[in-house]
Amino acid sequence: MSSSEPNTRGPSAPAAVPTTTPTSGSASASSTRTSTSGSASSTPTSGSASSTPTSGSASSTPTSGSGSASASASASPALDTLLTVRSVDLLKSRDGPNRREHHTDSYLSDKLIVRRGQTFQMWIELSRPFKRGSDNLQLQLSSVVTTGIRISVPLVDVLEDNAWEMKIVEQKDKRIRVSVNTLSSASIGRYMITVVTFSPKGKLLFPCAPNDLCVLFNPWCEDDPVYLDNEAERKEYVLNSMGRIYYGTEQQIGARTWNYAQFEQDVLEACLFLMARGRVAMTEWRDPVIVSRMISALVNSNDDRGVLMGNWSDSYEGGTTPTAWSGSGDILKQYYKSSGKPVKFAQCWVYAGVTASVLRCLGIPTRCVTNFSSAHDTDLSLTTDIYIDDKLELIKDKTDDSVWNFHVWNESWMTRPDLPVGYGGWQVVDATPQEPSQGSYRCGPTPVSAVRNGQVDLKFDTPFVFAEVNSDRIYWQKKPDGSFSQVSVEKNTIGQRISTKAVGSEERMDITHLYKYPEGSEEERIAVERASRFGSKPTLYPSATDNDVSIEIVMEGAGPRIGGDAKLSIVLKNKSSKQRTASMLYEVLVMYYTGVLKTTVKKDRINVDLKPLETKTIPWTLLYKEYMNHLVDQGALMLTVTGRVNPTKQILATQFNFRLRTPDLIITPLGDAVVGKELTVKITFQNPLSHVLRNVLFHIEGLGMQSVRKVPNGDVEKLATVTLMEKFVPTVSGSQKLLASMDCRLLTQVHGFADIVVKAK
């Protein structure tokens, strides 16, 4: 539809004409006079200078006798000079100029969705031609979710930047097309539009309901704090509805495709519903710093009945296993349609996926970021503290800090006018509930550049994020008097291979350099020391000591697969010219990916003799039968090795996290994909375990589907292969993705995807 032609066939709001108040349910849009109680004229009320239709009315009622036309039959000639609105066309179709120019044509919504700081156009049909000079128009915008925001948009001859104004750009008899300029700092959200007409005979109001307006942040507008100057990045971080989320360990990085679904039907409504539940006035919705911080609290349900309920236990009864989710759409729709009942269950990548969906939907550039070997500092020391006894065994009830195999959070792009210059750009936003921040479970926005420089005095939550990526792991040994002394420091184990999806491709991009300087460099050490001064142990760093034996745990290739034996190597290097003897204790524990330990699988001691300058490799194997009955979610294990070197009494200590890799779902389209034509897709899975998998459920989404398809499969015999033949009818042409994941209590993180090019009919 051309912007110069009104949509006369589409739904339009009724005309505002001077009549008496119609009875409820009236749908008349003509100027025929109606009456109630036998009266042929309306009775004006004192003091009112405007006319407002009642609910369900198709006409307006003049309520002032001053300066307005009488509604009696004897005053009918005055109707020729009173300016009324017959209809309004907001040009809101998805393929129309407003939605295309505002990059909102992908939203499956019948509302007018615009980005702030940019003009949009609308047609207004009047009862007579608009007379410049004697007539005037105004728009009134009022917030839908809360009271208090009312915006007046005046009619001007020339539009100025960064102001609420409108200008007539075309007039055809009784119809006028106006261009409306929006403020780049306007509060986002839904607004009701009312057209106000002024003529020599009076003023009339014409509410445009249900044709309300939705205003979003605008990364294409230079005056908007979320402005991003790279078009490829805008397409990736705002418009791309598919992403990649990384998991595993730094040496065994797994990736899964996530459907953000930010443009699906009801998702925008769900996001605005979520915003309305926050404890922040709509007047503050103009600030992406405040909005992103609010969303980080609202996506978890810990203290405000937000979207997702976390669960890090072994039981997911009454909800969905976190690894079974492969997209945000079902989660947000379920939350919205249940009027705000938290959805069960989530872990960090689900929180991050949903947070990215909400913020992208609202117009804030956002990406998912995974930090491997991610520390959880519980005492604000900005170090990861591990306590061992005089026998070199871990003191589990004192070691409160933990290291997650991986942790997923978000980064959002925005300026930070609330901070010194130089701290805008990517900000960490983390909805996973770990520690309260200012009384609520939330984290961020934290400037990544402040984390890199150790400037943990800058808001928000910078000390916590710094410890996640760059804390030293310090080993403390209990002395006979009950106190603890520092016996070993690992300075380069926390915060490894920080990863996000690359722009415009499916590749992993390493962004560790954005969070910290190269490990061991002078700049990195300065950042650590600067940060530690703000921690709870500001003087803990002793002077360095000479160490002549090093220890390292090495894994070859991509690492062990679940169902097989796990094989690693312990490498000792004697850097001295003298013989050394090491007495070591190793312990392998099953743990949750968060670093919470479940149980010890195997423990033993090793004695090693090292010749001068010798490097010795000790093979280490964990048999499948040793771990098969102990695994928890995602097959994570941790090998801890501690030891003492004689005669120097040097303490050796290291930890190594690894996972047992799971098989992929293999997705194969059988034939060409064509819009409107049935397509058969084969999905194959092989059980790698010598166990029967019970109650297996497959989740399938993407390929333009508006909901997740769930396929119950029952039990899968040990080492058996399952093949599903699923049929789809594509509705949209172009490059699409089909995602599948498996929900099974015994085997998690099983998923797959296929790129499918759908041809036009």
Side-chain angles (χ1 to χ4, degrees), residues 125-331:
E125 183 181 3
L126 302 168
S127 57
R128 58 170 175 78
F130 182 83
K131 298 177 182 177
R132 297 175 185 265
S134 60
D135 295 333
N136 202 353
L137 289 174
Q138 185 184 84
L139 296 184
Q140 288 184 358
L141 275 61
S142 56
S143 58
V144 172
V145 299
T146 184
T147 58
I149 294 186
R150 299 185 70 88
I151 300 168
S152 294
V153 185
L155 184 66
V156 297
D157 293 328
V158 179
L159 293 177
E160 296 183 1
D161 290 337
N162 210 13
W164 281 105
E165 295 175 337
M166 67 175 173
K167 173 187 176 181
I168 296 176
V169 294
E170 185 177 359
Q171 183 166 356
K172 289 186 175 181
D173 192 27
K174 299 177 184 179
R175 293 179 296 155
I176 58 173
R177 181 164 59 93
V178 298
S179 180
V180 182
N181 199 33
T182 61
L183 191 66
S184 63
S185 59
S187 291
I188 65 167
R190 287 176 55 198
Y191 292 88
M192 294 284 294
I193 300 178
T194 299
V195 180
V196 186
T197 63
F198 300 88
S199 66
K201 289 296 182 179
K203 164 186 172 183
L204 288 175
L205 277 68
F206 179 80
C208 297
N211 297 331
D212 51 345
L213 171 72
C214 184
V215 179
L216 305 177
F217 291 107
N218 193 351
W220 285 265
C221 174
E222 293 186 9
D223 294 324
D224 196 307
V226 302
Y227 172 67
L228 192 57
D229 64 358
N230 185 295
E231 178 62 16
E233 292 183 350
R234 289 192 291 254
K235 288 181 178 178
E236 181 68 52
Y237 301 133
V238 181
L239 300 182
N240 194 350
S241 61
M242 291 284 179
R244 300 278 274 173
I245 297 178
Y246 299 95
Y247 64 94
T249 70
E250 65 263 29
Q251 296 195 35
Q252 298 170 280
I253 296 178
R256 63 181 305 159
T257 302
W258 191 267
N259 182 10
Y260 295 122
Q262 71 266 38
F263 303 124
E264 287 186 6
Q265 193 164 353
D266 292 333
V267 169
L268 175 58
E269 287 73 11
C271 294
L272 295 177
F273 168 78
L274 180 64
M275 293 271 291
R277 292 173 67 86
R279 296 189 288 267
V280 175
M282 189 177 173
T283 52
E284 301 295 332
W285 294 10
R286 69 189 62 194
D287 187 348
V289 174
I290 294 175
V291 169
S292 60
R293 184 159 174 79
M294 175 173 65
I295 294 302
S296 79
L298 289 171
V299 168
N300 70 69
S301 65
N302 282 44
D303 41 31
D304 47 21
R305 287 186 60 80
V307 178
L308 285 161
M309 182 180 295
N311 187 341
W312 284 267
S313 74
D314 276 336
S315 174
Y316 303 108
E317 292 182 10
T320 298
T321 305
T323 54
W325 298 113
S326 57
S328 307
D330 264 21
I331 295 170

Side-chain angles (χ1 to χ4, degrees), residues 18 31 33 69-82 201:
S31 59
R33 200 176 304 275
S70 168
S72 66
S74 60
S76 58
L79 290 175
D80 293 336
T81 57
L82 192 65
K201 289 296 182 179

